Amino acid sequence: MAELAGLEDPRAREVNEKHGDDHGVNLGRLRALAKRLKTQQELARRLWETGDTAARLLALLICRPKAFGRDELDAMLREARTPKLHDWLVNYVVKKNPHSEELRPAWSADPDPAVAAAGWALTAERVSKKPEGLDLAGLLDVIEAEMKNAPDRLQWAMNNCLAQIGIEHAEHRARAIGIGERLGVLKDYPTSPGCTSPFAPVWITEMVRRQGDKAP
C-alpha cells in the first residue's frame, strides 16, 4: 500500500477522474509492479479487501482468475463501481473463470445496470467466440427494445453485443445494422482519426470489410 501511495500522480488522477476512476496511479507503473509481484492469490484478496481502487486494480493483475468462487465474483462485481475496475474485473478475471457462463444470464437480467452491463459483456464474448446455444435473434429483440434508453455503461455493453452479432454472423447482419441505424446509439460519439466509430452500422461494416481483405 505504501508503494502504491508512492506511485500517486496528481496529473494521472486528474485524467482518471474525468473518466470516473478514483485513483492517481499510472497504469503502466501499476502493471510493472504487478509483473514484479507475479501471481499471489492471497495478496490479491487482501488488496481487494482494502477497498482502495488502485489496490484493487493491482489485485486483478496478480490474482488467479480461476480461484474465485461464483458468489465471490458476484460480490466483487457489485463493489466494482468505477469503470476501469469493472472493465478489468470482467475481462481479466470473470472471462477466465469457470463460473462465467453461470453468471452471464444472471447478471444480464440484474436490475443494477452496472451488473447487467457485465452480463452483456460476457454475452458479446460468447457471440464472437462460442455462439452455439445462444438465441441471437432473441438478443437482437432485447437490444432493439431496451438499448436506446439504457444507462451509459449498459448501453455501451449492449451496443458491443449488437456489433459482434453483425460482424460475426452474416445471417443477422442486415438486421443488426438496421437496428443500429434506427436507434442511432453512439452515432455522434467522438472518434479519433484512424479509429473505428462505436456506432454499430459503421463498426460492423468496417470490421466485415477488414475480414474480407484478409480472406485468401
Side-chain angles (χ1 to χ4, degrees):
M1 292 303 293
E3 191 162 353
L4 280 173
L7 294 176
E8 175 76 21
D9 179 344
R11 285 171 299 178
R13 179 172 286 277
E14 187 180 346
V15 171
N16 291 334
E17 285 183 346
K18 285 179 182 174
H19 297 101
D21 292 309
D22 59 346
H23 71 92
V25 178
N26 175 283
L27 296 181
R29 290 184 172 185
L30 195 73
R31 291 181 188 279
L33 176 55
K35 192 173 181 181
R36 200 180 81 230
L37 290 170
K38 299 187 170 62
T39 302
Q40 295 190 51
Q41 180 66 12
E42 187 51 41
L43 176 57
R45 281 201 166 100
R46 287 167 61 197
L47 286 168
W48 185 271
E49 286 166 6
T50 66
D52 178 79
T53 296
R56 285 182 163 184
L57 288 169
L58 180 59
L60 297 177
L61 293 174
I62 66 168
C63 72
R64 281 197 302 276
K66 294 179 181 177
F68 293 103
R70 180 199 185 283
D71 292 344
E72 195 172 12
L73 288 176
D74 185 72
M76 290 169 73
L77 182 71
R78 293 173 194 281
E79 293 172 9
R81 307 315 296 180
T82 62
K84 185 64 69 179
L85 202 53
H86 185 279
D87 184 51
W88 281 20
L89 176 61
V90 172
N91 287 298
Y92 296 171
V93 180
V94 180
K95 285 182 180 179
K96 300 174 184 177
N97 184 278
H99 299 289
S100 63
E101 181 53 28
E102 182 187 352
L103 288 165
R104 182 186 66 78
W107 282 349
S108 297
D110 198 277
D112 182 331
V115 175
W120 279 93
L122 295 176
T123 299
E125 175 95 345
R126 261 204 68 188
V127 164
S128 60
K129 295 187 176 175
K130 271 180 62 178
E132 298 79 15
L134 284 179
D135 177 7
L136 297 179
L139 288 173
L140 289 175
D141 289 343
V142 176
I143 291 168
E144 189 167 24
E146 299 178 10
M147 182 171 75
K148 179 80 171 178
N149 298 314
D152 287 354
R153 198 181 302 177
L154 176 55
Q155 185 184 72
W156 188 273
M158 294 176 87
N159 183 71
N160 184 20
C161 191
L162 173 66
Q164 294 308 316
I165 292 173
I167 292 163
E168 301 292 342
H169 302 279
E171 69 276 21
H172 295 286
R173 188 168 296 147
R175 186 181 173 204
I177 290 173
I179 290 170
E181 287 173 344
R182 280 193 302 280
L183 299 184
V185 168
L186 300 176
K187 186 173 186 177
D188 300 318
Y189 191 84
T191 305
S192 303
C195 295
T196 302
S197 168
F199 179 48
V202 174
W203 187 359
I204 293 167
T205 303
E206 173 60 18
M207 297 309 293
V208 170
R209 182 191 68 76
R210 290 185 195 176
Q211 288 173 358
D213 288 348
K214 291 177 186 173

